[in-house]
Amino acid sequence: MVFKFFSSVRSTEKKFRGYVGKPVVTNDGKVIGTVMSIKLSKSDLKPISITVKLSDGSTREFNVGDVGAVFAADKVVFQRFNDEYSGLVSMYRNEVDSIKERLRDIMDKLNKLSDLLLQGGIKEDLYRDIRDRLEKERVKWIRQCNEKISAINDTISEIDKKISDAERRKGELMIKQVVGDLGGDDERNELTGGLEELLNQLRKVRSELLSLRMELEKECY
């Protein structure tokens, strides 16, 4: 019985070691990288995490449950894969909208306050007091606006580096393809699908971030 147990352990470990080097894809078939290693639970030998070499050359460990990993015959499918930059764009969008709304609300109040003074509906000392408070609030939100522009610029710089790295990697693989030195299916899949999809995604996110930055610059300056 002990022999059968250890035989089963070795068989399971061998099965999951066989996935090393195989592509990792999303539900829609997008290649996001290749399997580097799979960590198994000591209690029941079920996979608990997967370390993936992403198409941009970086490595990342994913919890099997978080991504809904399915182990197909020749690949691993992530049923729930959220790109980090897509989520970041959504977060920035919400923050930009909030800043724009607050600045416009303050300017609307300042304009109405001026109209009220001109119509004689408010005394000048009260007008100055309320205006000063609104101006202080406006300065605070303009400061937040500038901080958010700086954060977006930092993210754009990160994306530019990833684009540069991916383009360099693509160039290397194209040279290897020309000289007939392409390293098997992994590099072939990386060249024909993974890298181009990554570049398209990064360029799209970069364009969205530039648009958000322009919105803020128009609002703050």
Side-chain angles (χ1 to χ4, degrees):
M1 293 298 291
V2 174
F3 172 77
K4 287 183 180 180
F5 171 76
F6 282 109
S7 176
S8 174
V9 170
R10 284 196 295 270
S11 175
T12 302
E13 290 176 340
K14 182 180 178 181
K15 170 190 170 184
F16 286 106
R17 275 201 305 272
Y19 282 99
V20 173
K22 292 198 179 225
V24 179
V25 303
T26 57
N27 266 337
D28 57 2
K30 174 186 171 184
V31 179
I32 61 174
T34 55
V35 177
M36 291 188 67
S37 64
I38 297 174
K39 188 182 295 182
L40 304 179
S41 167
K42 292 181 180 179
S43 58
D44 56 13
L45 297 179
K46 289 183 179 179
I48 54 177
S49 72
I50 305 174
T51 299
V52 179
K53 181 179 182 182
L54 299 173
S55 298
D56 63 1
S58 63
T59 60
R60 185 173 163 192
E61 186 175 5
F62 297 89
N63 181 283
V64 167
D66 290 345
V67 295
V70 173
F71 295 87
D74 57 348
K75 60 192 172 188
V76 178
V77 181
F78 283 4
Q79 298 182 95
R80 295 184 297 276
F81 178 72
N82 296 315
D83 174 69
E84 57 179 315
Y85 287 115
S86 297
L88 202 57
V89 168
S90 178
M91 181 194 74
Y92 279 142
R93 163 53 64 191
N94 291 334
E95 292 173 343
V96 166
D97 288 345
S98 176
I99 290 170
K100 287 167 58 181
E101 182 181 354
R102 290 300 300 131
L103 283 170
R104 289 177 182 180
D105 180 58
I106 291 168
M107 287 305 300
D108 183 56
K109 287 176 180 177
L110 283 167
N111 290 332
K112 287 179 179 178
L113 189 65
S114 295
D115 290 341
L116 198 58
L117 178 68
L118 291 172
Q119 293 165 10
I122 187 173
K123 292 183 178 180
E124 192 164 342
D125 57 344
L126 181 58
Y127 161 78
R128 284 198 300 268
D129 181 55
I130 297 173
R131 185 196 61 189
D132 288 347
R133 278 187 282 157
L134 287 171
E135 285 291 356
K136 286 179 182 176
E137 183 76 3
R138 183 171 176 271
V139 168
K140 184 189 81 172
W141 282 98
I142 286 177
R143 188 182 303 117
Q144 288 197 32
C145 185
N146 287 323
E147 288 173 356
K148 198 56 56 184
I149 288 172
S150 179
I152 290 173
N153 282 335
D154 288 345
T155 303
I156 290 173
S157 295
E158 289 178 19
I159 291 174
D160 284 343
K161 184 179 184 307
K162 284 183 178 288
I163 289 173
S164 177
D165 290 344
E167 287 176 337
R168 187 183 302 110
R169 175 62 175 164
K170 183 179 177 182
E172 292 171 355
L173 291 175
M174 289 178 71
I175 291 171
K176 291 177 76 172
Q177 185 181 47
V178 168
V179 300
D181 193 30
L182 210 56
D185 291 339
D186 293 344
E187 290 190 340
R188 194 170 293 108
N189 289 336
E190 188 180 358
L191 177 61
T192 58
L195 279 171
E196 197 58 44
E197 288 177 2
L198 174 68
L199 283 166
N200 289 338
Q201 182 183 44
L202 289 173
R203 286 165 181 154
K204 179 175 181 292
V205 170
R206 188 182 191 279
S207 176
E208 290 172 342
L209 290 174
L210 285 173
S211 178
L212 286 175
R213 188 182 70 184
M214 286 176 64
E215 286 183 36
L216 281 178
E217 288 172 342
K218 190 184 297 183
E219 208 70 36
C220 297
Y221 305 139

